[in-house]
Amino acid sequence: MDLALLENILFATVRTGTPLLLVALGAMISERSGVLNLGQEGMILVGAACAFIAAYSADSLMLGVVIGALAGALVSLIFAFVALTLISNQVATGLALTIFGTGLSAFLGAEYVGQSIEGMTRVELPLLHKIPLIGPALFGQDLMVYLGLTLFALVFWTMRSTRLGLIIRAVGENPQVAHALGYKVLLVRYAAVLFGGAMAGLAGAYLSLSYTPMWAEGISAGRGWIALALVVFASWRTERILMGAWLFGFASILHLLLQGFGYDVPSNLLAMLPYAVTIVVLVFMMSRKGAKGLFAPRSLGQPYHPPQ
Amino acid sequence: MKLTPLLALTAALLGWSLASQADDKPLKVGFVYVSPIGDAGWTYMHDRARKIVEEEFGDKIETNYVESVAEGADSERVIRNLSARGYDLIFTTSFGYMNPTLKVARRFPQVKYEHATGYKTARNVGNYQARAYQARYLAGMTAGAMSSTNQIGYVAAFPIPEVIRGINAFTLGAQATNPNVKVKVVWINTWHDPAKEREAADSLILQNVDVLTMHTDSPAVIQAAEARGVYSVGFNSDMSHYGPKSHLTAAVMHWESIYRDKIQAVLDGTWEPKAIWHGLKEGVVDVAPFNEAVPEWVVEKVNTVKMQIINGEHAVFEGPIYNQAGELMVKEGEQLSDEELIELEWYVKGIDG
């Protein structure tokens, strides 16, 4: 394997990992605050459809990105209202959101199937993109990839060394205590869910504006579910989410590469790699007594009844 | 997909409520689709054909469809629902609907059924297929002539006979204009995942491929080719607006020609349950207009062969044909029969994958 090929593989890995990174960061924040939102797939799709429609109609990719994020946040607001204010079952509400989002995006985008736009172009950062091996992968991508990396840094810093990060974690670990300390549990959870929705919307915008600049129903093809698995795989740690996104991204293109080089590996086997790894991690986490508590936010998925 | 039953139910209800408003008794034609009509590929083209015939027949017919119907038990329920709601002619457009269609058809002898891509017929069930491989051959000829690295990439969904037939026909076509050409196949195990289709295309371009085509649903492969400055050949529909520079031509499907005939036959009372496999001759498949990058001699050659296939002077799977191992599979002067084509599971020489 020569250098150019490796560079290309790394480039493709980062690109494939970007939508996973965006969704997983949002889902992680929402789960850290104690809310399990299984509606990621639906939010990505609505984000992708709205982003494409906006970019197509207004001929502006930037507007598309903004609208995509807003649309994602808007549908997550429905989830937040039902799951947090009406205190419904989060799992059921999340699944319903996925179904709703899939249908809504198909309805909104129906007129736009078969239309094409000029997708995002690569922006090479001066000098940096010439670094051998990792240069093109990290500094020769389009703006959405940079945005993903920036948001990663932001989330990493927030969760690690800010008061806000501590509050989010406190709310996710023990909402009663957080409430007793004077924090507004519902407000924090609402914000976390909306952030998650916006991130999923961004991932959708990335798919329909940059990765494959078009709208087709079901364009996300299960990436929302992979991202949810990724959060578990990363055991809710930001830095592991970045590594995991690249790893999952690499796993999902690995079988394409191997086939091309004539290795006779069953491609179905490789295609299921991300899921298999997640199951292994889950088994590992659950099998050690009490280990679950070390990783998962303690009140994850549990309804919170604010004291009257 | 989890939402399929829900969608199917809503669509069935919608179909029923629309249908119940009719007074002047037009012929009621139902369509059952396996994927959403927005898939930009297989179902999209079937639905386009539905709209075309609906336009043409005006108030003589009334059409309706149910989309995203899973193969198996779900489809049986949907087909039965349509039958019970008084549909006169029902098109079921996916391979896996074959047995459910036959099963329901026994219960509703007055309803006529047409099943796509299967191989069974019954007293009131016909089936229809398109010889997409003929258009693939012509598309392959174009691709072969335009390749300078002699490497063509093919992004494919699943190794089933229909896909294998297309790959073989494409390869034979490419070899007809460029004897040294090799076709590299990458399997992605899905009909519809634009991002994965794109990655597969990119990984093929990395391996020195300079023309790309696909047997999947979205135009992502065309976009990848356009972005990297290599040529591409579309499938299902003319995808040139996704790759103005890269899109050479496409193997396109025109289901309306079959739907027109079948509906007319039912209106005339001459419908019979037949198994038809239409191709270039009947206009069900064709090649899309050529890119201006394609030289005149190639266009002429493709058009000549197209006429020869239409006139029956030339068959796509005409010997001598060798398999990957170099064994002679079809002798000179012979050709594969339709039965052999339907079960085709070996690759011709020159295919990698």
Side-chain angles (χ1 to χ4, degrees):
Chain A
M1 272 198 211
D2 53 58
L3 192 67
L5 185 67
L6 274 177
E7 274 182 358
N8 270 309
I9 293 173
L10 287 180
F11 179 84
T13 299
V14 170
R15 204 175 52 172
T16 319
T18 296
L20 300 177
L21 174 68
L22 289 167
V23 183
L25 282 176
M28 193 266 296
I29 291 290
S30 142
E31 289 180 23
R32 270 295 184 85
S33 80
V35 187
L36 180 64
N37 184 355
L38 296 182
Q40 307 296 336
E41 188 77 2
M43 302 190 298
I44 301 175
L45 282 169
V46 173
C50 294
F52 185 86
I53 294 168
Y56 182 82
S57 313
D59 202 17
S60 157
L61 290 171
M62 283 308 126
L63 183 74
V65 173
V66 173
I67 296 289
L70 282 177
L74 203 65
V75 282
S76 75
L77 191 61
I78 305 173
F79 171 86
F81 178 72
V82 177
L84 302 179
T85 305
L86 305 181
I87 318 180
S88 71
N89 180 313
Q90 291 179 10
V91 171
T93 313
L95 288 174
L97 185 68
T98 286
I99 298 172
F100 170 71
T102 310
L104 181 69
S105 64
F107 173 72
L108 293 174
E111 294 290 308
Y112 297 85
V113 172
Q115 307 290 356
S116 68
I117 53 167
E118 195 76 35
M120 282 193 192
T121 46
R122 291 168 61 174
V123 180
E124 289 176 336
L125 300 186
L127 293 177
L128 285 173
H129 84 275
K130 289 194 179 134
I131 303 172
L133 214 57
I134 59 163
L138 292 178
F139 307 111
Q141 301 271 11
D142 59 47
L143 290 176
M144 288 299 283
V145 177
Y146 301 142
L147 180 65
L149 292 172
T150 313
L151 284 166
F152 161 76
L154 209 64
V155 169
F156 181 76
W157 173 72
T158 307
M159 291 313 284
R160 192 186 167 92
S161 37
T162 67
R163 197 176 165 77
L164 178 65
L166 262 179
I167 297 172
I168 294 174
R169 278 154 64 184
V171 167
E173 292 297 328
N174 194 329
Q176 284 77 22
V177 171
H179 175 80
L181 287 172
Y183 295 115
K184 296 195 164 54
V185 172
L186 273 188
L187 188 70
V188 173
R189 289 192 166 182
Y190 255 92
V193 169
L194 283 179
F195 176 75
M199 292 295 274
L202 276 180
Y206 176 70
L207 289 176
S208 68
L209 301 182
S210 160
Y211 204 24
T212 50
M214 66 172 148
W215 167 249
E217 276 179 44
I219 194 170
S220 55
R223 279 178 185 71
W225 301 109
I226 296 192
L228 281 166
L230 173 58
V231 177
V232 178
F233 170 79
S235 51
W236 295 270
R237 299 290 192 283
T238 320
E239 67 282 3
R240 293 188 200 164
I241 282 185
L242 182 68
M243 290 302 143
W246 288 344
L247 190 70
F248 280 30
F250 179 69
S252 67
I253 57 167
L254 181 64
H255 68 104
L256 307 174
L257 289 162
L258 288 180
Q259 282 185 57
F261 289 108
Y263 294 99
D264 196 17
V265 194
S267 55
N268 328 46
L269 215 63
L270 289 167
M272 72 178 199
L273 222 94
Y275 304 97
V277 171
T278 304
I279 292 174
V280 171
V281 172
L282 273 174
V283 168
F284 177 73
M285 280 170 51
M286 297 303 177
S287 64
R288 291 196 313 178
K289 215 173 176 191
K292 187 188 165 203
L294 292 177
F295 295 112
R298 210 159 294 174
S299 69
L300 180 60
Q302 290 166 9
Y304 169 70
H305 300 264
Q308 295 305 311
Chain B
M1 278 166 77
K2 285 173 198 64
L3 64 166
T4 303
L6 248 179
L7 284 177
L9 183 69
T10 358
L13 286 174
L14 185 72
W16 171 75
S17 62
L18 288 174
S20 56
Q21 293 163 1
D23 298 315
D24 48 348
K25 298 265 176 208
L27 184 76
K28 287 172 73 173
V29 186
F31 291 79
V32 184
Y33 301 141
V34 71
S35 45
I37 55 170
D39 72 354
W42 179 257
T43 294
Y44 179 68
M45 290 310 279
H46 278 283
D47 197 58
R48 217 182 73 145
R50 179 188 67 84
K51 287 183 190 147
I52 291 173
V53 291
E54 190 176 55
E55 181 93 348
E56 284 174 4
F57 283 97
D59 50 10
K60 275 191 267 177
I61 64 166
E62 177 190 304
T63 73
N64 230 313
Y65 65 88
V66 186
E67 61 182 334
S68 301
V69 179
E71 299 178 335
D74 238 12
S75 64
E76 191 184 319
R77 203 193 59 242
V78 170
I79 299 166
R80 176 173 294 127
N81 262 338
L82 288 173
S83 308
R85 306 256 180 257
Y87 278 80
D88 306 294
L89 173 62
I90 297 172
F91 292 97
T92 55
T93 65
S94 189
F95 179 78
Y97 296 158
M98 182 163 67
N99 290 328
T101 305
L102 287 160
K103 208 167 154 192
V104 177
R106 278 198 293 275
R107 293 276 206 82
F108 295 90
Q110 79 287 3
V111 181
K112 297 170 180 65
Y113 300 85
E114 286 282 354
H115 173 247
T117 71
Y119 51 85
K120 290 184 188 166
T121 54
R123 213 178 51 76
N124 57 340
V125 184
N127 80 57
Y128 60 102
Q129 278 214 59
R131 293 183 192 269
Y133 68 89
Q134 293 180 335
R136 289 275 193 196
Y137 184 84
L138 301 177
M141 288 179 68
T142 318
M146 299 301 286
S147 172
S148 43
T149 62
N150 294 337
Q151 304 264 18
I152 298 179
Y154 204 120
V155 178
F158 296 99
I160 59 171
E162 173 164 6
V163 177
I164 294 172
R165 214 158 47 225
I167 297 172
N168 282 337
F170 187 87
T171 308
L172 291 173
Q175 287 166 347
T177 50
N178 181 351
N180 298 322
V181 84
K182 293 255 184 278
V183 174
K184 285 190 170 194
V185 184
V186 167
W187 302 99
I188 62 167
N189 296 313
T190 169
W191 292 112
H192 184 65
D193 181 344
K196 186 155 266 184
E197 291 163 48
R198 167 122 204 198
E199 283 307 335
D202 280 345
S203 78
L204 280 163
I205 295 171
L206 282 185
Q207 291 158 54
N208 215 15
V209 152
D210 66 351
V211 187
L212 279 167
T213 191
M214 75 292 191
H215 196 145
T216 49
D217 281 348
S218 89
V221 170
I222 312 292
Q223 291 182 327
E226 183 79 7
R228 297 271 187 135
V230 302
Y231 289 126
S232 63
V233 171
F235 176 54
N236 270 324
S237 60
D238 185 341
M239 297 178 163
S240 49
H241 61 290
Y242 286 103
K245 289 200 213 73
S246 107
H247 186 273
L248 297 173
T249 182
V252 297
M253 315 284 254
H254 294 293
W255 296 103
E256 61 273 18
S257 101
I258 288 182
Y259 293 151
R260 191 182 294 128
D261 290 355
K262 295 289 181 189
I263 292 170
Q264 192 61 50
V266 173
L267 285 172
D268 297 345
T270 56
W271 184 89
E272 284 170 31
K274 283 187 291 197
I276 57 164
W277 202 3
H278 284 180
L280 284 173
K281 194 172 145 191
E282 296 83 1
V284 175
V285 303
D286 203 350
V287 277
F290 292 91
N291 193 301
E292 57 189 22
V294 182
E296 196 55 37
W297 70 269
V298 179
V299 177
E300 265 168 35
K301 192 160 182 187
V302 171
N303 283 332
T304 312
V305 174
K306 180 173 158 185
M307 285 319 291
Q308 286 173 338
I309 293 178
I310 290 175
N311 298 332
E313 294 158 23
H314 180 83
V316 170
F317 291 97
E318 196 173 67
I321 299 175
Y322 296 87
N323 70 5
Q324 272 178 312
E327 297 158 42
L328 185 66
M329 298 298 280
V330 186
K331 292 197 196 82
E332 175 117 37
E334 291 181 7
Q335 62 183 65
L336 290 179
S337 67
D338 282 359
E339 290 72 33
E340 285 168 312
L341 281 177
I342 284 174
E343 287 165 8
L344 192 66
E345 273 182 354
W346 49 271
Y347 298 94
V348 303
K349 202 176 161 188
I351 295 176
D352 256 359

